[in-house]
Amino acid sequence: MTHDASSEPAYRTDSLIAEDIDAYLEQHQNKGLLRFITCGSVDDGKSTLIGRLLYDSKMIFEDQLASLESDSKRVGTQGQELDFALLVDGLAAEREQGITIDVAYRFFATEKRKFIVADTPGHEQYTRNMVTGASTADLAVILVDARKGVLVQTRRHSYLAHLIGIRHLVLAVNKMDLVDYDRETFDRIVADYRAFAEEIGIEGFTAIPISGFKGDNITAAPSPSTPWYDGPSLIEHLETVEIANTAAQARAFRMPVQWVNRPNLDFRGFSGLIASGTVKPGDMVRVVPSGKTSTIRSIVVMPGKAGAAGGTGGDGELDEAVAGQSVTLTFADEIDCSRGDVIAAAGDPPQASDQFEATIVWMSDDALKPGRGYWLKLATQTVTATVQEPKYEINVNTMEHLAAKTLGLNAIGVAELRTERPIVFEPYVDSRALGGFILIDKMTNATVGAGMLHFSLRRAENVHWQPVTIGREEHAGLKNQRPRVLWFTGLSGSGKSTIANAVEQKLNLMNRHTFLLDGDNVRHGLNRDLGFTEADRIENIRRVGEVARLMTDAGLIVLTAFISPFRAERRMVREMMEDGEFIEIFVDTPLDVAEARDVKGLYKKAREGTLKNFTGIDSPYEEPENAEIRVNTVDMTVEEAADYIVSRILPLK
Amino acid sequence: MHSLTHLERLEAESIHIMREVAAEASRPVMLYSVGKDSAVMLHLARKAFYPSPPPFPLLHVDTTWKFRDMYALRDRMAETAGMELLVWRNPEALERGINPFDHGPLHTDMWKTQGLKQALDHYGFDAAFGGARRDEEKSRAKERIFSFRTASHGWDPKNQRPELWNLYNAKKAPRGQNGGESIRVFPLSNWTELDIWQYIMAEGIEIVPLYLAAPRPTVERGGLLLMVDDERFPLEPGEEPVMRSIRFRTLGCYPLTGAVESEASTLSEVVQEMLLTTTSERQGRAIDKDEGGAGMEKKKQEGYF
């Protein structure tokens, strides 16, 4: 069998080891480190693949090999051949059951990189294990059995990897030996997967046809059995893909403070792991949330052997430190700074808030109790937090949104949460370190959940706003008016835009400075990148809210006409504005009336099922409970409604 | 752009772990066994808190049967680091004269497993650093970095706290309530044997000379090559210690630790042999062989580190 690579490890011991060990060590001193996760069910050959990687990179010693050989004959599933899976199935209980039940970490190295592999099971009930393993990974290898193709679990693993922010996905189509290395089979699986990946927003992936059992395209590609494959081998790909840690250096500097180092009255240093960016002596920094600024005086390290790992300086100071390093910083000024604070680039610090929207993965048998206090740990901050009733739960098999009152073990949902005091954060998509958190039960001390912050639901705490001389008062004063946001909400076709137009015309005649933000128009420009999923709708409203707020700062009366079906989002915008400046106007036209009008023909499409997520049909509209103004277009003409609204907002100054 | 090397990443992670413990535990301690992993762990602790000395003591759970070289280095290293050194010897084992020649597995159980539990209870430590690595042994591969222990020091491999990102949950019931739950912390979890050696060389860390080959008095027992380190070693009638050039890949109680014949007298020669050899590290330790593949897991459930 020409393609049987199992008898010859491709990673044979480097001849340099025997010839010149010092040269070899020099070469291996400066490897990078890549962490990845393998996802697949027992049947996909995941443990076999990991065993194969260890075997091919000479990570298996003779005594282990001997016990592998005897175990393979005794309990192996591969007949007389080596069952690599036995190398990695660790704990006694699972060896008996023949399955892996938790997260295990494996290590191997090639000449270019050291690898840490998180091995997690593919069973549905173990979502939490996969999320755990994925949280530290740069890359995910999604295993698919070539005989079975893309299955529900393939989607689930891919969705979870994407959710946790893994940017590099490898679709490893395994067991190619069992489909005679058939190219069409491979191409079909890749096409299936691509369609699904695009659907859930995965930007790209690398597909590799492999056989973990036989060794094809693991270390070298193309294997003689797949001459049609022109991509890299799995190892080659793992050796060259970008490491997240390196990418983080390009972002603004942030270091959560872990520990204040105070050996005596003359030294006060702040120790932590740099989450992003770089830092040098002389850099201006800001301590968040206090907002106080100072300059970096020194980056202190233990004096030692020059040029050693971690850049131990000969003289005990570093010229520069980067994301991923653990350092101790001293400041030029005596300013307050303690555990939980974040030291950040002075000109571009993160914000603090106490209300967020987040995706939460529940990891405990005891379901989430909305409203109950949990410990929330984010970076080095630990605070009490309460989670609201989830907005929805996500079915990880179909990606559908389901109504939910709580989250049970392994459930994933989106919910609002509040912390007892503001915490420094960044959205998870920007920073795993400042956007990822765990929830701890206060009674049992168990880690019961993990989450990823989307955004703050509040106007940011003004810890570092650029002070401006001409403020909103001056802007508004010049226009002789009080800024306002007239927020029109209602069903599609309820008459929001028509009435808003009429109101603006009347205000214009009264010499008022106004601006009308219309849903359709905004979607053609600012929000061109957003679709109609619930998440996109929320983001749409958030952006409109931000724009409206800037316009009120400029002194304008802003009119907006958006369906904005969810109370939470309208509340989010209300909370962005100064008290009394947000006026919610409910255009209360019943569904049957709006649908009968169907000006744009959208209701028809929604009823036919060609338009999904349409408010009022297959997506809810949550009526305002306390709208400042309520109008309708059944009892009132457009003119009457507009006059009524203007009368209600007088006086304008 | 400065791409960090694997040693820089590992170092940063270990230091981060130690600082979290220092910040969140009320009474942490560092288990110090004087081996090469302990040496690296201690060095990392000194770097983590410099210019302060590490804010916790060192604890050596002694069996009275360690190599003499180990005792010498232990005392010197604690002094260099400016740390308090606590030595615990199980009083009951001391009284009964438990030793590896006459008492077999009981020796390890009483001196090490029971001794460790006694020491942790005696001093009321709520977090203990250990130098175990995940690549050492299969059941270690699944253990968390912050590994929760019940008040009776038990480990439940099926009920471990999920560990995400670099967020470690150090919460536990205080002493008195549940009698003192604790956490074993493994800052070297993600290091491999080769990483340890490379780091020792790069940083110039002092290790016990027994790791380097030298002529030493030895006898062969049960397939292991043992060093006759002091006069307590009971020789069989007619048995004569033989001088052989040996070194140790791992260090424990001298009557239980097998040596390898070797000419590697420098660090890089040791690494060279390690890379060319094909037997795993713990083979020289009698302890793992007791109960087959599941031996270590069982020991850990009972409270062994």
Side-chain angles (χ1 to χ4, degrees):
Chain A
M1 262 194 316
T2 50
H3 59 259
D4 187 354
S6 64
S7 55
E8 280 295 306
Y11 275 78
R12 246 170 300 182
T13 316
D14 195 325
S15 58
L16 200 56
I17 295 174
E19 287 157 16
D20 186 350
I21 182 66
D22 293 319
Y24 173 87
L25 289 172
E26 176 70 32
Q27 237 178 45
H28 284 253
Q29 191 73 26
N30 299 311
K31 287 180 197 183
L33 172 63
L34 182 88
R35 301 186 67 140
F36 69 95
I37 179 172
T38 51
C39 323
S41 76
V42 219
D43 306 332
D44 296 330
K46 180 163 52 75
S47 294
T48 304
L49 175 66
I50 297 171
R52 158 70 63 180
L53 291 170
L54 301 181
Y55 182 82
D56 282 358
S57 55
K58 282 290 272 184
M59 290 292 145
I60 295 170
F61 293 103
E62 228 166 50
D63 56 329
Q64 291 175 312
L65 198 59
S67 88
L68 172 65
E69 276 167 3
S70 72
D71 285 359
S72 296
K73 293 194 178 99
R74 201 163 49 83
V75 289
T77 57
Q78 303 293 340
Q80 288 302 303
E81 302 216 44
L82 288 182
D83 187 351
F84 292 111
L86 293 177
L87 279 173
V88 292
D89 287 344
L91 297 182
E94 49 198 89
R95 286 183 83 171
E96 284 151 22
Q97 294 167 23
I99 49 163
T100 7
I101 54 170
D102 196 26
V103 190
Y105 296 90
R106 316 283 170 190
F107 308 86
F108 69 100
T110 65
E111 285 166 29
K112 298 195 178 107
R113 275 184 182 170
K114 170 185 164 125
F115 298 98
I116 302 179
V117 191
D119 177 14
T120 63
H123 298 276
E124 183 155 18
Q125 63 269 40
Y126 292 120
T127 291
R128 85 170 194 181
N129 294 336
M130 193 191 139
V131 169
T132 301
S135 70
T136 51
D138 298 291
L139 176 146
V141 176
I142 311 275
L143 274 159
V144 170
D145 184 332
R147 297 169 302 175
K148 296 178 186 160
V150 176
L151 301 177
V152 166
Q153 70 213 25
T154 316
R155 296 162 176 264
R156 178 165 72 236
H157 299 150
S158 305
Y159 170 73
L160 292 174
H162 182 61
L163 177 79
I164 209 84
I166 294 179
R167 304 253 155 92
H168 305 288
L169 292 185
V170 173
L171 180 71
V173 181
N174 194 20
K175 304 196 182 181
M176 285 300 290
D177 52 316
L178 299 182
V179 295
D180 296 327
Y181 300 98
D182 179 41
R183 180 181 190 162
E184 277 176 29
T185 304
F186 176 74
D187 287 346
R188 195 187 63 242
I189 292 171
V190 173
D192 282 356
Y193 188 78
R194 177 165 295 121
F196 158 74
E198 280 170 5
E199 207 178 292
I200 67 165
I202 291 172
E203 282 171 14
F205 63 94
T206 304
I208 307 177
I210 62 165
S211 166
F213 181 51
K214 300 286 186 188
D216 298 283
N217 295 326
I218 302 291
T219 54
S223 137
S225 301
T226 58
W228 44 265
Y229 173 66
D230 61 0
S233 70
L234 180 57
I235 290 283
E236 285 164 357
H237 184 65
L238 295 175
E239 282 179 337
T240 50
V241 76
E242 186 191 40
I243 295 169
N245 195 270
T246 310
Q249 291 177 25
R251 300 202 314 267
F253 174 69
R254 276 113 180 70
M255 188 189 90
V257 175
Q258 279 187 284
W259 193 73
V260 179
N261 193 334
R262 191 130 215 221
N264 54 57
L265 291 177
D266 300 328
F267 186 92
R268 195 154 157 269
F270 307 97
S271 301
L273 177 66
I274 300 174
S276 63
T278 63
V279 66
K280 291 189 196 64
D283 282 358
M284 278 280 287
V285 289
R286 194 181 296 265
V287 176
V288 201
S290 76
K292 298 221 168 60
T293 59
S294 185
T295 306
I296 298 294
R297 176 190 292 175
S298 61
I299 306 168
V300 180
V301 289
M302 186 166 84
K305 210 169 153 180
T312 303
D315 60 353
E317 290 195 10
L318 294 183
D319 299 331
E320 187 188 34
V322 302
Q325 282 182 300
S326 283
V327 294
T328 296
L329 305 175
T330 64
F331 295 158
D333 312 279
E334 283 258 336
I335 58 170
D336 281 343
C337 184
S338 54
R339 178 171 167 89
D341 289 343
V342 176
I343 301 173
D348 185 10
Q351 298 186 345
S353 180
D354 58 5
Q355 289 184 30
F356 307 92
E357 185 190 89
T359 297
I360 293 174
V361 182
W362 202 252
M363 302 185 157
S364 167
D365 288 323
D366 299 325
L368 164 74
K369 296 203 173 48
R372 182 214 256 194
Y374 293 93
W375 291 118
L376 177 149
K377 184 171 181 184
L378 182 147
T380 56
Q381 306 167 96
T382 302
V383 296
T384 296
T386 53
V387 182
Q388 310 301 113
E389 219 171 72
K391 293 180 174 179
Y392 54 86
E393 181 181 336
I394 298 158
N395 177 328
V396 292
N397 294 329
T398 60
M399 321 311 145
E400 277 174 331
H401 294 179
L402 313 166
K405 297 246 175 250
T406 180
L407 298 172
L409 178 63
N410 290 311
I412 298 177
V414 169
E416 289 182 12
L417 60 94
R418 290 162 197 240
T419 53
E420 64 174 350
R421 60 181 167 79
I423 54 171
V424 182
F425 79 101
E426 287 187 293
Y428 185 79
V429 292
D430 297 333
S431 168
R432 284 190 188 190
L434 287 174
F437 62 88
I438 55 171
L439 294 170
I440 299 169
D441 186 293
K442 286 189 165 188
M443 297 300 289
T444 65
N445 292 316
T447 304
V448 291
M452 290 145 280
L453 296 179
H454 299 173
F455 47 76
S456 165
L457 294 169
R458 256 166 119 71
R459 186 161 177 173
E461 302 285 316
N462 297 353
V463 288
H464 50 77
W465 289 123
Q466 191 62 40
V468 284
T469 321
I470 303 298
R472 61 194 329 275
E473 304 268 310
E474 288 77 10
H475 291 138
L478 205 62
K479 295 181 179 66
N480 200 29
Q481 64 188 26
R482 199 177 142 203
R484 277 189 183 78
V485 175
L486 307 183
W487 189 275
F488 291 79
T489 172
L491 294 169
S492 176
S494 60
K496 297 181 299 295
S497 295
T498 314
I499 297 172
N501 245 311
V503 172
E504 190 180 28
Q505 282 178 27
K506 291 183 191 296
L507 293 174
N508 188 268
L509 289 171
M510 296 160 76
N511 291 322
R512 301 301 159 182
H513 298 259
T514 58
F515 195 88
L516 174 61
L517 280 168
D518 178 78
D520 291 340
N521 297 344
V522 170
R523 278 192 173 272
H524 284 134
L526 176 67
N527 293 352
R528 186 162 57 189
D529 56 326
L530 299 179
F532 287 89
T533 63
E534 198 166 327
D536 279 359
R537 285 173 173 230
I538 292 167
E539 175 60 12
N540 181 45
I541 295 304
R542 191 191 67 81
R543 288 188 199 173
V544 169
E546 288 289 348
V547 171
R549 191 176 60 79
L550 287 173
M551 288 181 167
T552 59
D553 281 351
L556 296 175
I557 296 172
V558 188
L559 302 90
T560 69
F562 296 87
I563 299 171
S564 48
F566 302 114
R567 280 182 204 121
E569 276 66 62
R570 295 193 299 264
R571 187 172 72 230
M572 167 178 80
V573 178
R574 181 186 291 271
E575 286 171 354
M576 287 178 188
M577 307 302 164
E578 298 286 319
D579 281 348
E581 289 188 2
F582 183 85
I583 295 162
E584 192 169 344
I585 301 170
F586 178 28
V587 183
D588 184 11
T589 303
L591 178 63
D592 57 332
V593 178
E595 187 169 356
R597 287 181 194 150
D598 205 5
V599 191
K600 300 167 192 164
L602 299 177
Y603 282 98
K604 184 162 174 283
K605 283 189 192 165
R607 289 288 184 199
E608 288 164 354
T610 53
L611 189 59
K612 290 276 177 212
N613 293 323
F614 194 75
T615 303
I617 308 299
D618 58 351
S619 183
Y621 178 81
E622 299 173 355
E623 289 196 5
E625 284 163 341
N626 298 301
E628 275 80 1
I629 301 173
R630 181 183 281 247
V631 293
N632 72 60
T633 52
V634 179
D635 307 321
M636 297 165 126
T637 64
V638 169
E639 206 51 29
E640 284 165 355
D643 280 334
Y644 175 66
I645 291 166
V646 172
S647 74
R648 288 291 305 275
I649 61 174
L650 289 173
L652 288 163
K653 190 167 181 309
Chain B
M1 204 66 37
H2 166 193
S3 289
L4 298 180
T5 67
H6 69 294
L7 290 181
E8 289 174 317
R9 295 271 305 275
L10 292 170
E11 177 186 73
E13 179 184 68
S14 300
I15 288 176
H16 175 257
I17 290 163
M18 291 181 180
R19 288 170 172 169
E20 281 300 286
V21 173
E24 297 212 353
S26 50
R27 188 141 165 71
V29 67
M30 177 167 282
L31 269 288
Y32 182 60
S33 72
V34 211
K36 65 183 195 312
D37 301 307
S38 273
V40 166
M41 184 164 66
L42 174 57
H43 183 78
L44 289 164
R46 294 177 62 201
K47 289 186 93 164
F49 302 102
Y50 177 86
S52 297
F56 37 77
L58 292 172
L59 172 65
H60 183 220
V61 179
D62 190 17
T63 65
T64 73
W65 289 95
K66 302 292 173 186
F67 291 89
R68 283 176 297 168
D69 278 352
M70 294 171 73
Y71 292 115
L73 183 70
R74 177 193 72 185
D75 297 345
R76 196 166 69 249
M77 287 314 292
E79 195 179 323
T80 310
M83 295 166 77
E84 184 186 5
L85 172 67
L86 306 171
V87 176
W88 183 266
R89 297 184 193 95
N90 181 347
E92 195 193 339
L94 200 61
E95 197 185 318
R96 288 173 56 186
I98 300 296
N99 68 75
F101 299 105
D102 303 324
H103 300 103
L106 190 63
H107 169 80
T108 302
D109 180 61
M110 285 198 68
W111 284 112
K112 294 185 79 173
T113 309
Q114 303 306 325
L116 173 64
K117 291 198 256 183
Q118 288 168 354
L120 297 177
D121 288 343
H122 176 81
Y123 293 106
F125 294 123
D126 65 338
F129 293 105
R133 293 179 275 111
R134 284 172 174 158
D135 80 325
E136 279 177 68
E137 201 272 333
K138 274 190 262 186
S139 71
R140 294 269 192 219
K142 312 215 159 192
E143 187 156 10
R144 304 295 188 256
I145 290 174
F146 277 49
S147 189
F148 179 79
R149 297 298 151 97
T150 61
S152 54
H153 303 281
W155 178 59
D156 180 359
K158 291 199 171 163
N159 189 23
Q160 300 194 75
R161 292 175 175 175
E163 206 157 72
L164 291 102
W165 300 290
N166 57 7
L167 292 176
Y168 305 107
N169 176 359
K171 299 267 182 199
K172 60 215 163 298
R175 262 170 91 78
Q177 258 175 266
N178 282 349
E181 295 168 345
S182 64
I183 293 182
R184 308 271 172 101
V185 183
F186 302 102
L188 304 182
S189 287
N190 288 324
W191 295 61
T192 62
E193 188 180 7
L194 180 58
D195 298 330
I196 294 284
W197 283 117
Q198 285 184 315
Y199 190 72
I200 285 171
M201 286 192 276
E203 296 277 297
I205 299 169
E206 187 176 357
I207 53 170
V208 183
L210 295 164
Y211 284 112
L212 303 178
R216 295 183 174 108
T218 60
V219 295
E220 266 191 87
R221 287 276 173 88
L224 290 183
L225 198 54
L226 300 178
M227 176 176 164
V228 183
D229 195 45
D230 61 35
E231 65 294 340
R232 291 180 295 172
F233 196 105
L235 295 169
E236 314 268 326
E239 199 176 34
E240 275 286 323
V242 178
M243 291 302 278
R244 291 184 173 94
S245 180
I246 56 159
R247 65 179 178 86
F248 293 86
R249 297 184 60 187
T250 172
L251 293 175
C253 294
Y254 81 80
L256 291 174
T257 310
V260 290
E261 287 202 72
S262 165
E263 300 294 330
S265 59
T266 66
L267 284 173
S268 49
E269 284 168 5
V270 168
V271 175
Q272 184 175 36
E273 281 196 359
M274 187 205 95
L275 290 172
L276 294 174
T277 176
T278 45
T279 48
S280 62
E281 184 177 358
R282 282 189 164 257
Q283 207 201 24
R285 271 198 204 179
I287 181 170
D288 288 351
K289 296 199 169 162
D290 301 347
E291 290 150 71
M296 178 61 91
E297 182 183 346
K298 191 149 172 288
K299 282 199 165 54
K300 279 157 56 59
Q301 287 181 27
E302 289 160 1
Y304 183 79
F305 227 83

